[in-house]
Amino acid sequence: MKKLSCAFAILLAIGCGSTQMVETRTNTIDPAGPEGVKGSVVEATSTVKATGVSEATFTDAERVADIMNYLASDDLKGRDSGSEGIEMAAKYIENYFKSYHVKPYFESYRDTLSNYKKPSYNIVGVVEGNDPDLKNEYIVIGAHYDHIGTIAPENGDYIANGANDNASGTTTVMELARYFGTNKNNKRSLIFALFSAEEKGLLGSEHLAKKMKGQDLNLYAMLNFEMTGVPLQGKDYFVYITGYDNSNLAEVSNTYAKENMVGFLPTAKEYNLFQRSDNYPFHKEFGVPSHTYCTFDFTNFGHYHKVGDENDLMDFPHMAALVNKMIPVLEGIANASTQEVKITQ
């Protein structure tokens, strides 16, 4: 998440909520292996049916852990924009998209940032819609995959792994891309965008939003995922959205989820989180519904921009549940005959 104010940071010192841990495999990562993706991830290609995949069981904690254990590993050195570590992450995401039939949106998956001094790339894929008319309407599904790299050491650890911020959101988007890339059951076209340089001031999403606006993209909505690695505590909803009052996205989401999945977090409005993540540049450029789904509530995770943001604090069953709950929501929004998500007047 983009750097927060001092007052906001004080809240982050509040204790971390409980997490549900699962045992995960310790696969050795072989970048030269089958399409550069972990064996357990690639092998699933042959087991995912082209149609009729149940959203209740599409992904699970073990799959999520596989992805997270790479993106937030020490090998990637905190994924600072322009670094060798984020280059490794970029290749991993590219290979994942390729494995699950998500095509490059541009000539390649890489969208080179024009507003950052070091060579940095958004990774952008697309699953074209299957309706001859609605495929010309686009939904961007995004998350930032960069973090802050290495920082002052604490107890000998200097790598800010960025598991919650934002390997978690990146993993969510990658799994959603796998679902739609495999099933091809979306009428509208879906763009899956992983942003670089968010931590430098939303630069990756700013670059892409301006570029797409210049190309006159027919954008319907932008749905972003940020800090989704640990569950909310004591809430009667599963996830909140920033800019809750700006559109009817929460209502539409809950209708398709058939539960009170999306709620309102007052603190998110108090600290104007709507402007602090990658949804905001799309709001500015296009004026369409643009929101971030998040499960970080200021009390359930105390390691923001610290070396303690590690995978052993992530709740992989929770993360898998979010993906599974989002599938019918995105299917509903992508396949509705009219644009149901509307800006609040």
Side-chain angles (χ1 to χ4, degrees):
M1 186 173 284
K2 184 182 176 183
K3 187 175 181 181
L4 308 177
S5 66
C6 293
F8 179 71
I10 291 172
L11 287 177
L12 299 178
I14 301 175
C16 178
S18 62
T19 59
Q20 183 177 0
M21 305 305 297
V22 298
E23 183 179 356
T24 62
R25 290 169 288 184
T26 56
N27 301 41
T28 299
I29 300 164
D30 180 8
E35 298 178 294
V37 187
K38 278 187 176 182
S40 59
V41 174
V42 172
E43 287 161 9
T45 317
S46 61
T47 63
V48 177
K49 296 179 181 179
T51 58
V53 177
S54 170
E55 65 272 8
T57 58
F58 175 71
T59 195
D60 57 31
E62 190 173 28
R63 281 195 64 92
V64 167
D66 273 346
I67 301 170
M68 289 288 290
N69 285 338
Y70 183 75
L71 292 177
S73 66
D74 284 352
D75 290 346
L76 272 61
K77 296 290 193 299
R79 307 186 308 280
D80 194 14
S81 296
S83 70
E84 181 180 348
I86 200 171
E87 171 67 16
M88 295 169 66
K91 289 179 179 178
Y92 183 77
I93 297 165
E94 287 175 310
N95 287 327
Y96 200 90
F97 280 3
K98 181 180 178 182
S99 294
Y100 297 109
H101 318 295
V102 180
K103 296 181 179 179
Y105 179 73
F106 299 111
E107 291 185 3
S108 74
Y109 291 110
R110 298 196 176 205
D111 168 45
T112 304
L113 271 58
S114 59
N115 55 356
Y116 187 60
K117 56 187 177 181
K118 295 181 180 179
S120 300
Y121 316 94
N122 298 323
I123 306 300
V124 189
V126 63
V127 177
E128 185 178 16
N130 59 29
D131 183 276
D133 296 319
L134 292 179
K135 71 178 183 180
N136 297 313
E137 300 177 12
Y138 289 81
I139 300 170
V140 172
I141 300 168
H144 74 90
Y145 74 109
D146 68 308
H147 194 49
I148 60 173
T150 57
I151 59 177
E154 296 180 23
N155 299 320
D157 186 1
Y158 61 94
I159 299 173
N161 298 77
N164 200 25
D165 186 14
N166 188 36
S168 63
T170 299
T171 299
T172 301
V173 172
M174 289 172 66
E175 281 293 80
L176 292 171
R178 178 172 72 92
Y179 176 83
F180 287 101
T182 302
N183 284 272
K184 310 290 186 186
N185 60 354
N186 49 295
K187 293 182 178 180
R188 291 181 173 84
S189 294
L190 304 177
I191 296 171
F192 296 93
L194 284 308
F195 305 111
S196 187
E198 187 269 359
E199 300 288 1
K200 312 301 182 183
L202 310 182
L203 297 184
S205 54
E206 178 183 78
H207 162 86
L208 185 60
K210 289 181 177 179
K211 185 173 182 176
M212 288 179 164
K213 182 65 174 178
Q215 296 175 342
D216 201 26
L217 179 76
N218 184 14
L219 184 63
Y220 168 22
M222 193 282 174
L223 307 177
N224 191 55
F225 292 87
E226 174 93 25
M227 296 183 74
T228 58
V230 295
L232 296 166
Q233 301 293 326
K235 307 293 193 299
D236 63 355
Y237 51 87
F238 191 84
V239 61
Y240 68 88
I241 56 170
T242 63
Y244 182 94
D245 297 326
N246 292 0
S247 81
N248 65 338
L249 176 62
E251 178 184 352
V252 172
S253 296
N254 291 339
T255 297
Y256 286 121
K258 298 181 180 179
E259 63 175 284
N260 188 38
M261 185 181 83
V262 179
F264 170 66
L265 185 73
T267 317
K269 183 174 183 178
E270 179 182 354
Y271 286 95
N272 200 17
L273 297 193
F274 179 70
Q275 295 184 8
R276 295 186 182 275
S277 196
D278 290 308
N279 59 285
Y280 189 61
F282 291 88
H283 165 78
K284 288 194 300 181
E285 292 295 329
F286 288 93
V288 299
S290 306
H291 300 267
T292 292
Y293 292 90
C294 185
T295 63
F296 166 67
D297 72 350
F298 315 105
T299 67
N300 63 346
F301 190 72
H303 302 275
Y304 171 76
H305 281 193
K306 295 180 180 180
V307 298
D309 188 358
E310 301 262 16
N311 270 332
D312 59 2
L313 295 180
M314 298 299 99
D315 187 322
F316 299 131
H318 157 76
M319 292 180 61
L322 176 61
V323 174
N324 292 328
K325 288 173 181 291
M326 283 303 305
I327 286 172
V329 173
L330 294 181
E331 282 182 331
I333 293 172
N335 294 335
S337 58
T338 61
Q339 294 188 357
E340 299 174 314
V341 184
K342 300 181 183 298
I343 294 289
T344 303
Q345 301 298 324

